[in-house]
Amino acid sequence: MTHSSSQSPKHAERIETEPIHRWLTDLQDRICAGLEEAEGGARFAEDRWTRDEGGGGITRVLSGTLFEKAGVNFSRVHGASLPGSATAHRPELAGRAFEAMGVSLVIHPTNPFIPTTHMNVRFFTATKPGAPAIWWFGGGFDLTPYYPFEEDAVHWHRTAQAACTPFDGAFYPRFKEWCDRYFFLKHRNETRGVGGLFFDDLNQGGFDHCFGFTRSVGDHFLPAYLPLVARRRDTAYEERHRQFQLYRRGRYVEFNLLFDRGTLFGIQSGGRTESILMSLPPLVRWEYDYHPEPGTPEARLYRDFLKPVDWLARSATQDPDARTD
């Protein structure tokens, strides 16, 4: 669970969490069904687990031909006190019981021309006898391509914008910029990919408004991602493309282990390690002091894609350099 010091948590006398639970488990089911349909063969293996301190979850992992590894997790955990990662910037949460629930997924395709992707939607509440509850929503989705296709990034961001606009016209630019800042590898001076949406501590406008927006983000994930899978799944690739994909997957590992606050929260709160680290790719490689050859698609990824870009201002039809040879 991640937090921002830019907002104050919302207080409420009581929050009914069962509708959130039902929507999250339904979202997990729908996303798994959509990915299985695209895969066309392999099915998700399911692992139900419980947490000694309270709660548990459902971990589903698919290892197929199209998706080398796809994991879609649901968790609902609770406890008498919060870990240090949650209270460091929120001293008012100290001494409160908490409940956190969400769906988190990461998809690592086999074909290097299909991007890796991540999505998460979550709800958090902290309570103390005699005091109002503190609650907020968070989430988002982001895209990590290995080969640069401008039209893919444009589609991704147009769908992200469509998820936001009915709720607040300022949400897309605000949460797009937040995503660019959050999924940034400081030690590499590059973004993890082409971004998308990232929001946290969302409570403005009341519970129904915030829950509705969070549902919209979750419900727009498959329309954002599956068209890219369909567009790239039959692209022929060579071993050099695969090796570059495995090298770039290393950046995913670096971010999750060095910077991801959700990973830290899961570990510090006594979550299930296998489920927390489900996001890591099945195969990865590192190469000392790698630099792409000038004029190659790999070089274009570094030059034009691994930085904040206003993708909605780009023309997806004018992309003469997006070649795959």
Side-chain angles (χ1 to χ4, degrees), residues 30-317:
R30 287 186 285 117
I31 289 175
C32 288
L35 296 176
E36 286 182 344
E37 182 178 2
E39 176 66 39
R43 295 292 182 261
F44 279 91
E46 180 175 285
D47 190 7
R48 293 177 179 260
W49 53 275
T50 58
R51 175 176 171 271
D52 291 341
E53 294 83 356
I58 305 169
T59 295
R60 293 176 182 165
V61 177
L62 182 152
S63 299
T65 301
L66 178 64
F67 302 119
E68 190 172 8
K69 182 183 181 183
V72 186
N73 285 347
F74 164 77
S75 65
R76 183 179 186 180
V77 301
H78 55 86
S81 62
L82 286 156
S85 63
T87 60
H89 301 291
R90 292 289 195 208
E92 69 272 25
L93 299 180
R96 285 178 173 261
F98 76 93
E99 181 177 20
M101 67 180 81
V103 165
S104 180
L105 67 84
V106 176
I107 302 169
H108 294 289
T110 303
N111 191 315
F113 293 104
I114 304 175
T116 281
T117 189
H118 157 263
M119 190 276 290
N120 172 260
V121 283
R122 56 192 179 271
F123 174 76
F124 180 91
T125 184
T127 58
K128 182 169 65 174
I134 298 174
W135 63 267
W136 64 77
F137 288 90
F141 49 64
D142 64 284
L143 193 71
T144 305
Y146 303 102
Y147 282 89
F149 294 97
E150 188 169 288
E151 62 267 34
D152 291 3
V154 170
H155 166 80
W156 182 260
H157 279 270
R158 283 178 177 165
T159 310
Q161 183 187 46
C164 298
T165 300
F167 296 88
D168 191 321
F171 274 2
Y172 170 74
R174 175 183 167 194
F175 298 149
K176 188 268 186 192
E177 192 271 338
W178 199 345
C179 188
D180 288 337
R181 282 189 288 111
Y182 181 74
F183 292 105
F184 187 80
L185 288 88
K186 304 174 184 65
H187 62 298
R188 301 285 191 178
N189 195 33
E190 63 188 39
T191 57
R192 189 168 79 173
V194 298
L197 300 172
F198 181 90
F199 66 98
D200 207 2
D201 299 331
L202 183 68
N203 46 52
Q204 303 97 323
F207 178 86
D208 290 342
H209 179 76
C210 296
F211 186 25
F213 171 66
T214 304
R215 291 199 304 270
S216 182
V217 171
D219 293 344
H220 275 79
F221 171 73
L222 287 180
Y225 187 60
L226 288 183
L228 308 185
V229 174
R231 188 181 292 167
R232 306 297 170 198
R233 62 182 299 162
D234 295 323
T235 303
Y237 64 91
E238 301 172 2
E239 181 61 21
R240 66 185 181 89
H241 300 125
R242 174 67 167 169
Q243 290 301 309
F244 182 69
Q245 176 199 46
L246 298 184
Y247 173 75
R248 289 297 309 173
R249 279 180 177 177
R251 299 294 206 270
Y252 216 90
V253 174
E254 291 175 20
F255 180 86
N256 278 26
L257 297 184
L258 293 175
F259 301 116
D260 188 71
R261 290 174 286 174
T263 300
L264 182 62
F265 176 87
I267 295 295
Q268 290 191 352
S269 62
R272 184 172 182 263
T273 301
E274 285 299 310
S275 298
I276 296 166
L277 299 182
M278 170 276 300
S279 61
L280 300 182
L283 295 172
V284 65
R285 61 183 287 266
W286 278 267
E287 180 176 332
Y288 178 73
D289 200 26
Y290 169 81
H291 297 281
E293 291 292 329
T296 62
E298 292 85 356
R300 185 168 182 259
L301 178 78
Y302 281 78
R303 186 189 73 212
D304 297 339
F305 282 65
L306 301 183
K307 60 183 180 180
V309 174
D310 183 358
W311 292 106
L312 297 186
R314 295 287 189 95
S315 170
T317 61

Side-chain angles (χ1 to χ4, degrees), residues 11-19 123 125 127 131-135 207:
H11 292 72
E13 292 299 326
R14 184 175 181 276
I15 295 295
E16 176 55 56
T17 58
E18 287 308 312
F123 174 76
T125 184
T127 58
I134 298 174
W135 63 267
F207 178 86

